Amino acid sequence: TTTSSNPYNLGVRAFDYHGNELSIQNIRVYINGVEHEIDSTLHYYWYNLVLTEGANNVRVVVTDNEQYTAEKNFTLTYSPTGDKDDDGKDQELQIHFVLKADNVGLGTLIDENIKVKPGTRLGEMVEERLAAYGYQTEYSGSPASGDYFLNQIIRPGLLDNWSITDDLRKFVEMEGLIIKEQPDSLNKLGNNSFVDGTSGWVVFKNHVWVGNSMGVIGLASGDLIEMSYTLDNGNDQSLQPSE
């Protein structure tokens, strides 16, 4: 495939012939002949492959506990400026961005189709779009680096009409967590706003949980990016009121 995303986010899952999922110790990923270390382990084993311009050779080798081996090889062609249009100009990436906080009764805050420049990192896009809708942010690190972490989005009166359903409260309490009687601030929503240690923003790219910093996540045309507020580290995402 050809991509304008760099790093390129490769998710790997492997199973033996009995159907048992294999661990990270069974998997080796190589980029241009050099073994790459894992970056995150949420749902998939995630590798952020830093590409060089042009063709990049990727090799994934899996060896199960009985020493059976499978191998997959493919080529990633990195074009930093993306495809060209008929006039030879850089073609912008088409992204669908959704920001929602159903779990605290705020519904969908942003739902839009946008265009971004090739090479834009997910963290940069999120900061730009939040600002476009009048939100301020508190974050650590840099939106284009691996230390970026979004702590809070801020707007006066953001949580004025917040609510949590009885079913969701029961679920969270069954997990052994305590929901605060009032959020820390009616103007902020983010890390620890409702539950200490487990509430904050989670991000899905094309329906797959992004388990590492948005600052290292590249974008490709057609991506669906969903930012959703969670009370329980994402475990409550299947309990949306709309479902």
Side-chain angles (χ1 to χ4, degrees):
T1 187
T2 298
T3 181
S4 58
S5 297
N6 196 13
Y8 182 87
N9 311 118
L10 177 70
V12 179
R13 296 181 74 185
F15 301 82
D16 66 17
Y17 68 96
H18 299 294
N20 302 310
E21 186 163 7
L22 298 174
S23 70
I24 185 59
Q25 287 76 23
N26 299 96
I27 300 170
R28 297 288 183 268
V29 173
Y30 302 86
I31 176 75
N32 296 323
V34 178
E35 186 168 359
H36 196 289
E37 295 296 326
I38 190 171
D39 291 290
S40 180
T41 59
L42 287 174
H43 297 296
Y44 285 77
Y45 296 117
W46 282 104
Y47 300 82
N48 296 322
L49 304 181
V50 178
L51 307 178
T52 57
E53 189 169 355
N56 295 262
N57 299 312
V58 180
R59 177 171 170 247
V60 181
V61 180
V62 177
T63 304
D64 72 7
N65 297 325
E66 298 178 33
Q67 301 306 302
Y68 289 102
T69 297
E71 182 173 318
K72 184 176 180 65
N73 293 273
F74 56 95
T75 299
L76 287 173
T77 300
Y78 173 48
S79 176
T81 57
D83 297 329
K84 303 288 185 180
D85 60 21
D86 293 339
D87 297 324
K89 297 180 180 179
D90 291 342
Q91 192 176 69
E92 294 178 306
L93 308 179
Q94 307 285 333
I95 307 295
H96 186 185
F97 177 53
V98 179
L99 177 75
K100 58 185 179 180
D102 293 335
N103 281 353
V104 291
L106 302 184
T108 299
L109 303 173
I110 299 175
D111 188 343
E112 61 177 3
N113 292 301
I114 58 172
K115 296 180 179 180
V116 302
K117 294 180 180 179
T120 300
R121 302 293 175 88
L122 177 53
E124 295 175 302
M125 188 209 77
V126 165
E127 287 292 329
E128 192 275 330
R129 297 319 299 162
L130 289 174
Y133 280 81
Y135 294 98
Q136 294 179 306
T137 59
E138 289 180 358
Y139 64 86
S140 57
S142 166
S145 69
D147 58 0
Y148 173 75
F149 182 80
L150 178 62
N151 290 296
Q152 305 283 339
I153 68 170
I154 306 165
R155 195 165 69 180
L158 175 60
L159 292 176
D160 283 351
N161 298 311
W162 73 273
S163 63
I164 299 174
T165 65
D166 290 341
D167 286 345
L168 183 54
R169 283 183 180 274
K170 290 177 182 177
F171 173 81
V172 173
E173 289 168 359
M174 285 176 60
E175 295 282 286
L177 304 174
I178 299 175
I179 299 175
K180 299 175 183 179
E181 291 297 323
Q182 290 292 328
D184 293 338
S185 169
L186 291 178
N187 302 322
K188 297 182 179 182
L189 182 61
N191 198 32
N192 300 326
S193 292
F194 283 90
V195 181
D196 286 333
T198 62
S199 62
W201 294 102
V202 291
V203 184
F204 299 86
K205 179 181 178 181
N206 301 324
H207 306 294
V208 177
W209 191 343
V210 174
N212 40 18
S213 171
M214 290 189 286
V216 300
I217 302 298
L219 296 170
S221 201
D223 278 347
L224 168 63
I225 303 298
E226 298 172 282
M227 283 184 57
S228 186
Y229 193 74
T230 177
L231 301 175
D232 182 20
N233 285 331
N235 295 317
D236 54 347
Q237 291 307 298
S238 63
L239 298 176
Q240 301 290 2
S242 61
E243 298 175 359

